[in-house]
Amino acid sequence: MRAPVIMVHGAFCGGWTFDAFRAPFEAAGHRVLAPDLIGHDGTSSAAGVSMSDYARQIARLIETCETPPILIGHSIGGLVAQMAASRAKVSKLILLAPSAPWGVSGASLEEAVSAVSLYSLGPYWLQAIAPDYGVVRRYSVDRLQRPERKAIFARMTAESGRALWETLNWWLDPFMTTSVSAPGCPVLAVAGGQDVIHPPATVRQTAARLGGSVEVFPEMSHWLPGEPGWEAVAERCLTFIADEGRAAA
């Protein structure tokens, strides 16, 4: 049996992020799980939820699998995946435009701006933060057509301000919540060459922290699981899974 695949969505999103992206993995014989993180299923609030809470949720799901799964995370879900992989055993870790862990500084002006812009909301770490269409359009789904952008935004939910603070302002976090180490399994990080939120330079730093490799898709931006070209990203992930599997054998 092929290893199961767990896909972890990013901020403001849900398991629906992978509605299309999961199909090639299922066609290849993998059982795919794409859970909604705490507070993202429309039945509860994400206010006060920590990145550690997200990581524990995914670690518990990993432990229910009969064999160590392949863990794939997008954006802040990529950081959740890094943290979960230090709590439970996974066979492979794949990160799509991942948020950086504690200690990795951003490489772009946009990363710096995002780290301070939320302070205009006051003590935002106590709140659930609603998505902003202008930000989503400009930095996340910028390569999609307007109807697709609107459809994605309509499905978004409020994100935990605490989780955002722990991720964006890690240097102020005395608990080092998002600190990670090499997970002891093969790691692939994928970056979009046009991504200004998590640009290739930052993704390379994250991969180096984990002892992993990096693949850059020059024409792509941040929405790697769903923007034009996502099929090539999925194929690269499947090649990585297959190659590593043959190496292990």
Side-chain angles (χ1 to χ4, degrees):
M1 291 181 60
R2 294 186 182 274
V5 176
I6 298 174
M7 298 183 175
V8 187
H9 65 79
F12 305 103
C13 296
W16 52 263
T17 297
F18 304 103
D19 282 354
F21 192 77
R22 65 189 293 162
F25 296 84
E26 292 172 327
H30 296 279
R31 181 170 67 99
V32 176
L33 305 172
D36 295 323
L37 291 175
I38 300 166
H40 292 73
D41 62 358
T43 65
S44 61
S45 173
V49 179
S50 170
M51 287 292 288
S52 293
D53 296 320
Y54 291 153
R56 280 191 290 268
Q57 175 190 356
I58 299 303
R60 287 194 294 267
L61 182 58
I62 291 168
E63 290 168 350
T64 67
C65 297
E66 293 184 1
T67 59
I70 298 155
L71 189 56
I72 300 177
H74 173 239
S75 196
I76 205 172
L79 181 50
V80 172
Q82 295 170 58
M83 296 169 65
S86 69
R87 291 165 164 80
K89 184 174 181 175
V90 299
S91 60
K92 298 171 187 69
L93 179 62
I94 300 174
L95 309 172
L96 308 177
S99 297
W102 195 97
V104 172
S105 299
S108 72
L109 177 61
E110 285 78 6
E111 288 174 291
V113 169
S114 65
V116 299
S117 61
L118 289 173
Y119 280 100
S120 64
L121 300 175
Y124 74 88
W125 47 90
L126 302 177
Q127 308 171 37
I129 308 300
D132 181 295
Y133 179 71
V135 173
V136 172
R137 176 185 58 80
R138 190 176 305 116
Y139 297 120
S140 186
V141 294
D142 48 294
R143 294 188 65 237
L144 297 177
Q145 297 299 311
R146 187 174 186 273
E148 296 174 287
R149 295 197 302 261
K150 287 290 188 179
I152 288 172
F153 184 74
R155 301 185 74 176
M156 289 184 165
T157 57
E159 183 54 68
S160 165
R162 179 178 176 182
L164 293 173
W165 183 86
E166 291 167 340
T167 300
L168 298 174
N169 294 277
W170 55 263
W171 62 89
L172 298 174
D173 181 6
F175 302 107
M176 300 173 62
T177 304
T178 62
S179 179
V180 301
S181 57
C185 70
V187 179
L188 172 66
V190 181
Q194 307 304 311
D195 189 348
V196 297
I197 293 298
H198 299 321
T202 304
V203 174
R204 288 190 180 97
Q205 291 183 68
T206 298
R209 174 70 61 88
L210 301 169
S213 59
V214 179
E215 182 85 13
V216 178
F217 286 78
E219 74 286 359
M220 297 191 73
S221 186
H222 187 69
W223 195 251
L224 295 178
E227 68 180 63
W230 70 263
E231 297 93 341
V233 175
E235 183 59 34
R236 178 65 186 93
C237 294
L238 286 165
T239 300
F240 172 75
I241 292 168
D243 287 348
E244 291 296 334
R246 283 194 289 268

